């Protein structure tokens, strides 16, 4: 019976994480598009501006470029990990646990990396509401993804015979 309760909690966290990862990926994609549209333009002499940075973002601050790139990767990997988690929740056996757990841990590690960059961006200030949304979601996701990983490890799934 305890397994069903943990399975429900894991399902709820999985849906929450999937939605939040999709939002993080969408907003990060928007920010990347803005950077491409408003980025540096190389003149006819093909000379780069004096302080050119390949991760220059016209919105936000010095940490925005790194945050957006890592948040986009974390969002896509997190959404993919949620899809692996859906399979595990549906079957809930020991054969599906390793793929769900390993992809969940990779997504959590990337989320922690992006969260660290979000903390740096918060420290530097000067960002808009969409970037604040990414920061908040990454901080929340770093906790909820860990709880999801602990939940799927907490209850031992039933072992099926092949």
């Amino acid at each position: 019976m305890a397994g069903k309760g943990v399975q429900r909690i894991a399902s709820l966290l999985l849906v929450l994480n999937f939605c939040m990862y999709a939002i993080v990926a969408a907003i990060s994609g928007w920010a990347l598009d803005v950077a491409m549209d408003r980025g540096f333009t190389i003149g006819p002499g093909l000379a780069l501006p004096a302080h050119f940075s390949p991760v220059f973002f016209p919105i936000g601050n010095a940490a925005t470029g790194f945050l957006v790139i890592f948040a986009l990767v974390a969002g896509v990997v997190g959404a993919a990990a949620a899809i692996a988690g859906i399979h595990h929740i549906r079957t809930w056996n020991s054969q599906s646990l390793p793929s769900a757990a390993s992809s969940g841990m990779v997504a959590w590690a990337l989320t922690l990396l992006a969260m660290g960059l979000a903390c740096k961006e918060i420290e530097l200030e000067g960002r808009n509401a969409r970037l604040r949304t990414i920061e908040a979601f990454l901080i929340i996701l770093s906790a909820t993804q860990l709880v999801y990983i602990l939940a799927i490890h907490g209850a031992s799934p039933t072992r099926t015979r092949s």
Side-chain angles (χ1 to χ4, degrees):
M1 279 298 163
K4 284 290 182 189
V6 172
Q7 190 175 2
R8 286 190 194 115
I9 291 171
S11 299
L12 178 66
L13 286 170
L14 188 65
V15 170
L16 175 70
N17 288 353
F18 179 78
C19 293
M20 290 179 71
Y21 275 124
I23 291 169
V24 165
I27 296 174
S28 298
W30 165 83
L32 191 61
D33 182 56
V34 167
M36 287 181 193
D37 287 345
R38 298 186 205 163
F40 287 121
T41 305
I42 298 175
L46 298 177
L48 292 174
H51 298 286
F52 176 74
S53 171
V55 288
F56 170 76
F57 275 69
I59 56 174
N61 54 41
T64 302
F66 296 105
L67 170 70
V68 167
I69 291 168
F70 282 100
L72 184 61
V73 171
V76 171
V77 172
I83 292 170
I86 289 169
H87 173 68
H88 175 62
I89 296 295
R90 286 182 57 226
T91 59
W92 199 256
N93 60 34
S94 58
Q95 283 85 13
S96 64
L97 177 61
S99 63
S102 62
S103 62
M105 284 189 238
V106 169
W108 181 57
L110 288 170
T111 303
L112 287 178
L113 181 61
M115 185 203 66
L117 292 166
C119 291
K120 183 64 177 177
E121 184 169 2
I122 291 169
E123 178 187 332
L124 295 176
E125 297 179 354
R127 62 223 191 270
N128 65 18
R130 290 183 181 145
L131 294 175
R132 283 190 206 114
T133 303
I134 293 175
E135 295 162 1
F137 277 25
L138 287 171
I139 292 168
I140 294 167
L141 276 167
S142 66
T144 58
Q145 185 70 15
L146 176 63
V147 173
Y148 163 73
I149 291 168
L150 294 174
I152 63 174
H153 275 86
S156 57
T158 59
R159 184 167 183 92
T160 59
R161 295 186 181 203
S162 309

